[in-house]
């Protein structure tokens, strides 16, 4: 019998789980490096719940969401495909009704969800965790669990809806205009929208402007981000600036995680060094640069492209194509904005509540250090929640910490397959599911090598443009500070908390990505070229190399071979 | 309208529905549109009357049913009695010799059919063709060859109106029990190289300038049911140019087998090959365009290529109807777009 440890009921068990699917895919985008048990518990339980909730609410004809398992700190997933044609037809009928809110009043629906979920965050934040009673603290933790579950419901319902629309948009632009997501025109059609993530980044930029106006530019540039707070405290102007900065962080700017899908790293609010780095980068780059104007330029480009494109379409088809275009545009800005309100914010809430519990448990002697709480799971928090002093959870922490260190050292395989099952079969299943999220996030467009172009790497266009620059290979956010203006960022994938450095970049090359991945969307917003799905960028390219990327062609050339 | 016992399919139209049944009448309609349908002939209900009267079976059956009626007709309790009655009537029909003035013309028609399809004794499908659908009247006999066998199977179809199920259905619905006239179709078996459908527009975007042809090896059921990824060709109707072609990995096909059709493997070497030639595609489009022009509306048609005939005589049609597609005028843009989204899940 399988003994469940970190995620009861949802740990991978090959004696039964191959009956669900002969192949399980590793979610390398979110669970590398391996999750701590606490975060793995949240993700596997509720991302899984959200996907099945979303697929069911929309009655997607071919897929009932994804099943997830936890194994050695990794998330493994399999698609729940609807095989019976009669059931598919019945689901189609319900889909027709269920999808209507997306075409009727998308912005209104989304605003309702944002108000709901932000209301829940505010309630969680209202409790002073260190002054709260044990019972209040446990209550806050339970509400954090409920909030996370609700966040994933909204997340996946929205995502399935907008991605379906986006896949349709791609198909229609291909059929009617002969362009696909590797074409610059395609991206111009969906960029240049204002959104919350963009606004938060803009506020950071405004802070840099303020600092310059207050005469703090030289101090900020000369001081390392890690000691910035102390340095600013020592002058009156510095204190004034720090107050504005802290307000911004408390209200909105600070509720983001450095690593989107993990809670064992501080939020910006706790550790503002990344925010100071962004401000420093802006000052270096020069604050005359106007982000809003840049966005408006994108917007003007978009409107011009829309006009161009609509003229190419037969008059009787224009009106419904316009409807699809609007849906796809909603999808593009939603993809960027939802990170702010959903994943990043909710995970910051998990971090906040869990750390509150951790501090209490450490104080009462249940565990050694607050961070040890990440090696517990909610059942154990409940066990010790009201009377922490009565329990000793050190053995559990020590055992799981050792496990986790092992997971981190060993890594996890990209797939777990039943004997005799081939990778091709697995990929085929993925495509046959017609799951819009699987298609847009997991699969993407495969590059075609074109020897006549004599490039060193072949990928697909995430955002159009041609640029030369110096390579900086980035694996984690800590390394972002080595970027200087005009550099070419090379990474396995990019994360939402990296967005601010995009204003400095000359271009981006990522190993994996699809037209709705972070690098592509943000690259389009900043108008810099992005080449995706090159697979071996981080392997082949080294810091300091000079490269030319031609995103229009999907090619990368090493200039100083 | 001339009332006869035997008709060539090409003589028929929907006016003959009551006389020869829907299946035959529909094929006649296709012929009137200038479409080549599988060669064949139909026996009308007049032929049935002739047979039943001349052989004395009319009275015989009435007597069997009359005796049973006097003994009480309880379809629920007397199941064995029903089975026994069905067996006696069907045996009587199948054993009675076909009257010579009916057997002669049937044999003559079969000989002409055989000549038209290349001589020898052509394999035929002998099937019931009712004016309305009724349980038990679904008999189809495949691969029937030779005059004697054709005649025997025609009687079997007539007898199929007296299966236990059919009798019980008629008793329960207060319909005449002993008189069950039905049309019979005798149609050559297609030796299908490939089959499929043509839509004279691209349904998902309502593009009426183009047609789409989809096909697979074998009979058409595999294309219609969506079990495999068929070959798919988009043709510009005015230029008669094949604009795009997608060759599916066709692992399975439907063929005739046993008493019906079966799904079988496509030889591996063929799976990735186009199931139709370009000239066949263009001929299919040309004919479909004519039908579209005739009706003034986009068409959804089913075609079969028979391997025994040379191009262009090898293309046969088995179905034509108005194409269903989301017409822009019908709903608002939103509804149309939702329909397009649904198509995404039907690949």
């Amino acid at each position: 019998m399988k003994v469940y440890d970190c995620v009861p009921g949802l740990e991978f068990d090959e004696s039964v789980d191959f009956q669900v699917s002969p192949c399980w895919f590793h979610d390398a985008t979110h669970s590398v490096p391996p999750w701590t048990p606490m975060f793995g518990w949240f993700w596997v339980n509720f991302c899984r719940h959200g996907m099945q909730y979303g697929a069911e609410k929309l009655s997607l004809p071919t897929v009932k969401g994804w099943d997830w398992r936890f194994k050695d700190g990794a998330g493994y997933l399999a698609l729940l495909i609807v095989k019976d044609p009669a059931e598919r037809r019945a689901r189609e009928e319900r889909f027709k009704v269920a999808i209507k809110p997306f075409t009727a009043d998308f912005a209104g629906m989304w605003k309702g969800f944002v108000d709901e979920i932000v209301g829940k965050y505010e309630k969680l934040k209202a409790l002073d965790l260190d002054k709260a009673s044990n019972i209040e603290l446990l209550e806050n933790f339970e509400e954090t669990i409920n909030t996370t579950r609700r966040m994933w419901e909204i997340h996946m319902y929205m995502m399935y809806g907008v991605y379906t629309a986006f896949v349709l948009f791609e198909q229609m632009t291909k059929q009617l205009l002969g362009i696909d997501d590797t074409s610059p025109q395609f991206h111009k059609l969906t960029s240049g929208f204002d959104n919350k993530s963009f606004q938060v980044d803009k506020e950071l930029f405004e802070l840099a402007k303020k600092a310059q106006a207050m005469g703090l530019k030289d101090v900020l540039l000369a001081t390392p981000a890690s000691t910035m707070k102390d340095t600013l405290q020592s002058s009156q102007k510095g204190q004034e600036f720090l107050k504005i900065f802290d307000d911004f962080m408390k209200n909105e700017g600070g509720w983001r995680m450095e690593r989107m899908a993990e809670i064992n790293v501080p939020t910006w609010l706790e550790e503002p060094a990344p925010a100071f780095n962004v401000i420093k980068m802006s000052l270096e780059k020069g604050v005359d640069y106007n982000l809003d104007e840049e966005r408006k330029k994108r917007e003007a480009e978009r409107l011009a492209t829309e006009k161009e494109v609509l003229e190419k379409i037969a008059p009787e088809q224009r009106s419904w194509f316009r409807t699809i275009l609007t849906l796809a545009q909603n999808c593009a800005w939603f993809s960027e904005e939802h990170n702010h309100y959903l994943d990043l914010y909710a995970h910051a809430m998990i971090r906040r509540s869990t750390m509150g519990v951790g501090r209490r448990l450490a104080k009462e002697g249940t565990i050694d250090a607050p961070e040890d709480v990440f090696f517990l799971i909610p059942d154990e928090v409940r066990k010790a929640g009201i009377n922490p002093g009565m329990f000793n959870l050190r053995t559990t922490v020590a055992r799981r910490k050792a496990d986790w260190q092992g997971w981190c050292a060993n890594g996890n395989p990209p797939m777990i397959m039943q004997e005799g099952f081939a990778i091709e079969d697995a990929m085929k299943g993925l495509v046959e599911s017609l799951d819009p999220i699987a298609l847009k996030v997991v699969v993407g467009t495969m590059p075609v090598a074109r020897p006549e172009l004599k490039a060193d790497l072949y990928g697909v266009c995430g955002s159009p443009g041609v640029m030369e620059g110096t390579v900086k290979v980035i694996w984690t956010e800590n390394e972002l500070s080595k970027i200087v203006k005009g550099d070419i960022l090379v990474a396995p994938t990019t994360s939402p908390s990296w967005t601010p450095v995009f204003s400095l970049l000359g271009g981006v090359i990522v190993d994996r990505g699809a037209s709705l991945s972070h690098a592509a969307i943000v690259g389009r917003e900043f108008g810099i070229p992005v080449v995706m799905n090159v697979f071996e960028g981080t392997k082949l390219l080294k810091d300091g190399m000079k490269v030319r990327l031609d995103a229009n062609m999907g090619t990368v050339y090493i200039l100083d071979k | 309208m001339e009332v006869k016992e035997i008709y060539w399919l090409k003589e028929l139209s929907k006016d003959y529905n009551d006389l020869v049944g829907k299946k035959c009448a529909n094929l006649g309609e296709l012929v009137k549109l200038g479409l080549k349908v599988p060669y064949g002939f139909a026996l009308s209900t007049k032929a049935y009357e002739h047979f039943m009267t001349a052989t004395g079976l009319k009275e015989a059956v009435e007597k069997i049913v009359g005796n049973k009626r006097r003994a009480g007709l309880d379809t629920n309790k007397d199941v064995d009695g029903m089975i026994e009655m069905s067996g006696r009537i069907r045996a009587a029909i199948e054993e009675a010799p076909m009257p010579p003035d009916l057997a002669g013309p049937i044999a003559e028609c079969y000989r002409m059919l055989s000549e038209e399809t290349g001589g020898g004794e052509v394999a035929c499908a002998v099937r019931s063709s009712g004016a309305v659908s009724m349980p038990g009247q679904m008999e189809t006999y495949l691969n029937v060859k030779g005059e004697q066998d054709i005649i025997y199977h025609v009687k079997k179809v007539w007898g199929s109106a007296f299966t236990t199920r059919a009798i019980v259905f008629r008793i329960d619905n207060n319909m005449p029990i002993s008189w069950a006239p039905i049309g019979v179709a005798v149609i050559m078996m297609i030796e299908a190289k490939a089959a499929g459908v043509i839509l004279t527009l691209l349904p998902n975007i309502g593009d009426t300038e183009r047609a789409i042809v989809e096909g697979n090896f074998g009979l058409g059921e595999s294309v219609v049911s969506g079990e495999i990824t068929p070959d798919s060709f988009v043709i510009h109707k005015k230029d008669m140019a094949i604009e795009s072609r997608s060759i599916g990995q066709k692992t399975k096909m439907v063929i005739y087998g046993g008493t019906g059709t079966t799904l079988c493997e496509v030889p591996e070497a063929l799976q990735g090959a186009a199931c139709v030639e370009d000239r066949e595609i263009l001929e299919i489009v040309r004919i479909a365009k004519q039908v579209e022009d005739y009706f003034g509306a986009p068409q959804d048609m089913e075609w079969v290529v028979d391997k025994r005939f040379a191009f262009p005589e090898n293309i046969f049609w088995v179905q034509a109807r108005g194409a269903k597609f989301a017409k822009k005028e019908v709903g608002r843009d939103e509804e149309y777009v939702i329909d397009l989204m649904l198509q995404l899940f039907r690949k």
Side-chain angles (χ1 to χ4, degrees):
Chain A
M1 193 189 75
K2 166 89 183 171
V3 178
Y4 295 107
D5 189 24
C6 298
V7 190
L10 294 172
E11 282 181 30
F12 190 78
D13 178 353
E14 64 176 56
S15 69
V16 290
D17 286 334
F18 284 137
Q19 288 162 24
V20 177
S21 169
C23 177
W24 292 78
F25 292 91
H26 182 201
D27 175 18
T29 311
H30 301 106
S31 60
V32 174
W35 288 321
T36 55
M38 180 65 87
F39 186 76
W41 185 94
F42 272 91
W43 183 285
V44 169
N45 269 295
F46 298 139
C47 180
R48 177 181 184 277
H49 167 78
M51 297 195 90
Q52 294 184 24
Y53 173 95
E56 194 56 30
K57 276 269 166 186
L58 285 168
S59 186
L60 296 180
T62 54
V63 68
K64 296 187 175 185
W66 303 4
D67 201 358
W68 285 78
R69 292 292 180 274
F70 181 88
K71 186 178 193 298
D72 300 339
Y76 279 91
L77 56 97
L79 278 81
L80 298 171
I81 297 173
V82 181
K83 296 214 172 92
D84 176 21
E87 191 181 359
R88 283 192 177 198
R89 280 193 294 277
R91 290 177 72 87
E92 281 186 5
E93 286 310 307
R94 290 196 298 273
F95 174 84
K96 280 188 204 167
V97 183
I99 193 71
K100 277 199 173 146
F102 285 81
T103 57
D105 178 18
F106 180 84
M109 171 174 69
W110 173 231
K111 186 178 179 302
F113 284 140
V114 168
D115 290 348
E116 179 194 341
I117 201 76
V118 171
K120 288 180 191 290
Y121 300 153
E122 291 304 336
K123 249 171 98 182
L124 291 173
K125 278 154 67 178
L127 183 71
D128 184 334
L129 299 174
D130 293 321
K131 287 188 184 142
S133 69
N134 291 341
I135 286 177
E136 285 167 337
L137 195 54
L138 184 61
E139 180 66 24
N140 185 273
F141 182 71
E142 298 287 0
E143 274 312 309
T144 301
I145 292 175
N146 294 337
T147 300
T148 308
R149 179 170 52 225
R150 181 62 186 148
M151 180 279 284
W152 278 117
E153 288 180 359
I154 295 171
H155 190 298
M156 287 306 170
Y157 168 75
M158 290 294 294
M159 203 153 177
Y160 265 131
V162 295
Y163 277 29
T164 301
F166 200 81
V167 173
L168 176 63
F169 174 68
E170 285 182 321
Q171 198 187 72
M172 288 300 122
T173 51
K174 210 171 196 172
Q175 288 188 3
L176 295 175
L177 301 163
I179 59 172
D180 61 14
D181 69 349
T182 59
S183 142
Q185 224 182 9
F186 180 94
H187 298 305
K188 283 182 185 160
L189 283 174
T190 53
S191 59
F193 287 94
D194 201 5
N195 69 71
K196 190 67 194 178
S197 300
F198 175 78
Q199 285 165 12
V200 172
D201 293 332
K202 199 176 78 186
E203 278 184 69
L204 268 176
F205 183 77
E206 293 298 325
L207 276 173
K209 253 183 171 168
K210 250 176 217 151
Q212 181 160 319
M214 290 167 83
L216 291 167
K217 181 179 173 182
D218 294 340
V219 183
L220 280 164
L221 285 179
T223 315
S226 51
T227 58
M228 189 70 78
K229 266 205 152 161
D230 297 336
T231 309
L232 288 173
Q233 288 289 6
S234 64
S235 75
Q236 204 208 322
K237 281 267 180 240
Q239 285 173 18
E240 267 174 50
F241 177 74
L242 212 48
K243 185 167 179 330
I244 306 170
F245 178 83
D246 283 344
D247 281 349
F248 163 70
M249 294 297 274
K250 252 181 231 146
N251 287 332
E252 280 188 314
W255 299 104
R256 50 169 109 185
M257 307 297 298
E258 177 196 319
R259 181 177 162 197
M260 189 172 77
E262 182 52 286
I263 49 171
N264 64 350
V265 284
T267 58
W268 280 24
L269 186 63
E270 294 169 76
E271 181 41 77
F276 284 126
N277 273 328
V278 172
I279 291 173
K280 285 173 71 166
M281 280 191 276
S282 303
L283 286 169
E284 270 166 20
K285 193 176 176 183
V287 289
D288 309 328
Y289 185 82
N290 187 328
L291 270 182
D292 243 346
E293 252 168 40
E294 282 299 309
R295 190 188 63 74
K296 287 203 174 113
K297 233 190 264 170
R298 297 283 96 69
E299 187 175 281
E301 260 181 28
R302 184 188 78 229
L303 294 171
T305 314
E306 278 182 14
K307 208 170 151 237
E308 235 171 76
V309 155
L310 284 168
E311 270 164 16
K312 281 192 208 156
I313 291 176
E316 67 272 17
Q317 293 174 343
R318 269 177 214 161
S319 154
W320 60 257
F321 181 77
R322 180 84 245 186
T323 306
I324 297 177
L325 179 61
T326 306
L327 280 168
Q329 290 169 339
N330 287 337
C331 178
W333 65 252
F334 165 81
S335 288
E336 184 54 16
E337 179 162 295
H338 87 272
N339 283 319
H340 173 81
Y341 284 119
L342 300 179
D343 324 43
L344 287 174
Y345 214 141
H347 291 161
M349 290 297 116
I350 304 177
R351 161 92 187 172
R352 179 181 186 275
S353 187
T354 315
M355 277 301 283
V357 170
R359 285 193 299 274
R360 182 67 49 92
L361 295 184
K363 198 174 131 199
E364 299 283 336
T366 321
I367 55 179
D368 285 328
E371 284 80 8
D372 285 349
V373 75
F374 301 129
F375 300 97
L376 300 178
I377 63 172
D379 278 338
E380 289 143 4
V381 170
R382 288 168 183 143
K383 179 180 178 184
I386 296 176
N387 296 301
M390 308 290 287
F391 300 92
N392 182 350
L393 294 174
R394 286 183 181 78
T395 324
T396 310
V397 168
R399 176 172 56 78
R400 291 227 191 89
K401 203 184 268 183
D403 284 350
W404 178 71
Q405 281 159 351
W407 303 336
C408 291
N410 296 330
N412 283 300
M415 277 172 242
I416 310 175
M417 280 186 291
Q418 198 170 22
E419 224 181 277
F421 200 75
I423 293 179
E424 298 80 61
D425 301 325
M427 292 310 283
K428 225 173 100 190
L430 222 53
V431 173
E432 277 168 6
S433 73
L434 301 171
D435 180 300
I437 296 179
L439 293 180
K440 290 322 299 165
V441 183
V442 187
V443 186
T445 308
M446 289 303 125
V448 183
R450 284 180 289 179
E452 72 274 17
L453 296 176
K454 298 192 168 60
D456 295 295
L457 283 166
Y458 299 91
V460 296
C461 176
S463 168
V466 181
M467 188 58 74
E468 287 183 12
T470 308
V471 164
K472 292 288 163 67
V473 182
I474 304 289
W475 290 87
T476 72
E477 190 176 81
N478 307 332
E479 299 170 295
L480 286 177
S481 55
K482 70 184 181 191
I483 284 174
V484 298
K485 197 174 172 180
D487 276 350
I488 307 293
L489 183 147
V490 177
T493 62
T494 64
S495 154
S497 60
W498 299 16
T499 304
V501 304
F502 273 62
S503 63
L504 281 180
L505 296 173
V508 177
I509 301 167
V510 284
D511 288 348
R512 292 307 307 268
S515 48
L516 289 179
S517 61
H518 173 262
I521 294 170
V522 180
R524 297 196 288 267
E525 287 311 315
F526 283 86
I528 56 170
V530 178
V531 178
M532 304 182 304
N533 261 359
V534 297
F535 286 80
E536 298 200 307
T538 51
K539 205 166 128 192
L540 194 69
L541 302 174
K542 307 280 179 236
D543 274 5
M545 274 183 176
K546 295 267 181 293
V547 293
R548 182 157 66 87
L549 66 159
D550 181 343
N552 302 349
M553 303 299 282
T555 49
V556 179
Y557 300 86
I558 300 171
L559 299 176
D560 50 1
K561 270 189 276 197
Chain B
M1 193 176 106
E2 190 193 351
V3 176
K4 299 199 291 186
E5 292 176 348
I6 303 182
Y7 296 90
W8 291 103
L9 290 179
K10 57 185 175 233
E11 298 176 83
L12 298 170
S13 70
K14 56 178 181 291
D15 298 339
Y16 291 81
N17 201 31
D18 290 344
L19 210 52
V20 295
K22 259 198 301 198
K23 215 170 276 167
C24 296
N26 279 348
L27 286 171
E29 284 290 312
L30 298 189
V31 178
K32 281 179 72 185
L33 295 172
L35 301 178
K36 192 203 304 261
V37 303
Y39 304 127
F41 56 91
L43 276 76
S44 72
T45 53
K46 290 287 162 215
Y48 173 83
E49 279 179 46
H50 180 171
F51 170 74
M52 294 295 277
T53 320
T55 51
L57 277 167
K58 191 166 186 254
E59 290 79 18
V61 173
E62 272 165 9
K63 205 170 156 199
I64 297 172
V65 175
N67 289 337
K68 193 80 203 159
R69 197 189 291 281
R70 276 186 291 279
L73 284 174
D74 190 329
T75 54
N76 286 323
K77 285 195 188 132
D78 189 16
V79 177
D80 287 344
M82 293 294 142
I83 293 171
E84 199 254 320
M85 175 164 71
S86 162
R88 282 180 61 191
I89 298 173
R90 294 183 74 182
I93 290 174
E94 284 164 24
E95 281 158 21
M98 187 70 81
D101 49 352
L102 197 47
I106 293 175
E108 175 64 15
C109 280
Y110 177 69
R111 275 196 298 277
M112 286 168 73
L113 180 59
S114 293
E115 264 162 43
E116 210 164 358
T117 43
E121 290 188 330
V122 68
C124 285
V126 181
R127 48 182 59 175
S128 65
S129 175
V132 286
S133 300
M134 216 175 279
Q137 298 191 344
M138 302 287 288
E139 293 303 319
T140 292
Y141 302 100
L142 298 177
N143 272 320
V144 184
K145 267 189 209 172
E147 293 164 17
Q148 289 315 309
D149 242 19
I150 293 283
I151 287 170
Y152 173 67
H153 282 93
V154 167
K155 290 190 290 181
K156 277 191 82 121
V157 170
W158 284 333
S160 73
F162 293 93
T163 57
T164 312
R165 249 186 93 207
I167 292 173
V168 168
F169 179 84
R170 289 204 292 276
I171 293 172
D172 289 348
N173 289 281
N174 287 319
M175 295 162 70
I177 303 165
S178 51
W179 190 243
I182 188 171
V184 182
V186 179
I187 300 172
M188 79 183 206
M189 300 272 290
I190 290 277
E191 283 185 26
K193 175 184 87 167
V197 297
I198 175 171
L199 284 161
T200 62
L201 84 168
L202 303 187
N204 52 354
I205 55 173
D207 181 349
T208 52
E209 288 184 3
R210 290 171 177 78
I212 182 162
V213 172
E214 292 193 330
N216 186 18
F217 296 111
L219 296 164
E221 279 92 333
S222 65
V223 178
V224 186
S225 71
E227 267 170 89
I228 48 108
T229 309
D231 293 341
S232 174
F233 308 90
V234 174
I235 302 95
H236 193 280
K237 291 193 289 186
K238 201 158 143 235
D239 302 350
M240 285 301 273
I242 302 175
E243 288 183 334
S244 82
R245 51 182 82 230
S246 136
I247 306 300
Q249 192 65 25
K250 304 171 292 296
T251 50
K252 301 226 159 57
M253 64 177 172
V254 175
I255 55 163
Y256 285 123
T259 55
T261 57
T262 62
L263 198 62
C264 75
E265 302 282 326
V266 173
E268 209 166 327
L270 276 180
Q271 288 179 5
C275 68
V276 273
E277 297 170 27
D278 283 5
R279 58 177 187 171
E280 290 164 346
I281 296 168
L282 294 176
E283 178 68 5
I284 287 166
V285 176
R286 190 185 67 77
I287 294 170
K289 263 168 64 179
Q290 289 176 0
V291 178
E292 182 185 55
D293 287 345
Y294 176 81
F295 284 113
Q299 295 295 303
D300 174 353
M301 301 168 63
E302 295 175 20
W303 52 266
V304 192
V305 177
D306 190 309
K307 59 179 94 156
R308 289 170 297 183
F309 299 91
F311 178 81
E313 299 301 316
N314 57 348
I315 296 165
F316 291 86
W317 298 88
V318 291
Q319 182 66 267
R321 59 194 157 220
K324 280 189 200 147
F325 64 100
K327 242 188 177 172
K328 208 193 139 288
E329 308 86 80
V330 174
R332 295 177 304 128
D333 289 332
E334 281 78 12
E335 275 159 31
Y336 181 56
V337 167
I338 288 171
D339 241 51
L340 292 181
M341 284 188 195
L342 270 180
Q343 303 285 341
L344 296 174
F345 295 101
R346 287 183 190 153
K347 271 180 206 166

